[in-house]
């Protein structure tokens, strides 16, 4: 953290964009004197859109989870910009674009996989195993079967959905449908990104 930091804000790995929004606007844990509307305005800035994001998709998955220093005069837009820049830095470090191409997927699809790994794996050691299961099921044309995707859609994290809610036939229902959910379901950390790429 910079020596001039007057506070910190921590965004845990696996947080959704909605959870990040709530954290940034939280009077105790977020940016002082910040409203949800100010966070929304910061999220809407085209400068914080990763080049890997398809048109019309939310920032989900591209606001990097980490502890950020808050300096005197910082606005929520400054912090969101740092989160975006940190994502781009980590994406470069793990060679997201080049390795995604080697795997035959877009970087965005890899980000979706990493977000599922982040929500599904309890510990980093399990992340490569979860990645292997996801890729095997996709290759076999089977449903991915990650319940966390339905939990994300329902806004229930942690999840206590019924079988009917988990198998509701929506685009985020990965029990019955094959293929990827439409967006990432969380903010993956570096370990989840690496598991998705390796």
């Amino acid at each position: 953290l910079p020596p001039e930091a007057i506070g910190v804000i921590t965004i845990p790995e696996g947080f959704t964009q909605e959870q990040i929004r709530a954290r940034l606007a939280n009077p105790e844990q977020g940016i002082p004197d910040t409203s949800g509307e100010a966070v929304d305005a910061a999220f809407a800035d085209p400068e914080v859109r990763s080049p890997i994001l398809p048109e019309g998709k939310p920032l989900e998955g591209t606001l990097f989870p980490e502890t950020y220093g808050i300096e005197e005069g910082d606005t929520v837009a400054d912090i969101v910009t740092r989160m975006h820049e940190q994502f781009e830095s980590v994406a470069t470090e793990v060679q997201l674009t080049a390795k995604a191409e080697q795997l035959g997927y877009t970087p965005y699809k890899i980000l979706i996989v990493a977000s599922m790994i982040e929500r599904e794996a309890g510990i980093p050691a399990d992340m490569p195993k979860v990645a292997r299961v996801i890729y095997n099921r996709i290759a076999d044309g089977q449903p991915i079967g990650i319940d966390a995707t339905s939990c994300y859609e329902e806004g229930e994290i942690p999840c206590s959905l019924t079988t009917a809610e988990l198998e509701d036939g929506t685009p985020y229902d990965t029990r019955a449908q094959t293929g990827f959910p439409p967006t990432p379901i969380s903010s993956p950390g570096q370990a989840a990104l690496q598991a998705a790429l390796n």
Side-chain angles (χ1 to χ4, degrees):
L1 295 176
E4 59 277 13
I6 57 167
V8 296
I9 180 164
T10 299
I11 306 299
E13 292 166 351
F15 256 33
T16 64
Q17 184 174 331
E18 194 49 47
Q19 288 174 308
I20 293 170
R21 179 187 188 274
R23 175 65 55 91
L24 289 168
N26 182 302
E28 279 82 45
Q29 298 174 302
I31 315 298
D33 305 317
T34 295
S35 65
E37 291 73 24
V39 179
D40 292 339
F43 285 172
D45 182 351
E47 291 298 312
V48 299
R49 283 192 68 78
S50 172
I52 75 164
L53 282 173
E55 187 75 32
K57 296 291 186 184
L59 300 180
E60 196 71 76
T62 63
L63 300 169
F64 198 75
E66 198 169 86
T67 296
Y68 295 90
I70 302 171
E71 297 168 35
E72 193 72 53
D74 270 349
T75 64
V76 68
D78 296 322
I79 302 301
V80 170
T81 296
R82 274 182 222 141
M83 295 170 74
H84 158 70
E85 288 170 350
Q86 186 60 20
F87 173 79
E88 296 302 332
S89 172
V90 171
T92 300
E93 188 179 329
V94 300
Q95 300 177 290
L96 176 59
T97 302
K99 287 189 174 178
E101 195 175 311
Q102 288 168 12
L103 290 169
Y105 294 107
T106 64
Y108 191 65
K109 288 273 169 68
I110 297 294
L111 185 62
I112 292 172
V113 172
S115 76
M116 291 189 285
I117 294 167
E118 189 66 67
R119 295 293 316 157
E120 194 72 9
I123 54 172
D126 289 341
M127 289 181 173
K129 298 173 203 160
V130 174
R132 180 49 42 217
V133 168
I134 291 171
Y135 287 125
N136 284 347
R137 288 176 181 169
I138 289 170
D140 292 343
Q142 297 177 358
I144 296 171
I146 301 279
D147 290 347
T149 59
S150 292
C151 300
Y152 170 79
E153 183 178 34
E154 295 290 331
E156 269 215 36
I157 297 164
C159 196
S160 58
L161 301 181
T162 64
T163 301
E165 289 170 318
L166 291 168
E167 297 176 1
D168 59 2
T170 69
Y172 287 92
D173 167 13
T174 59
R175 277 192 176 193
Q177 316 240 71
T178 57
F180 292 87
T183 66
I185 61 164
S186 74
S187 299
Q190 187 159 346
L193 284 165
Q194 285 175 317
L197 288 167
N198 296 301

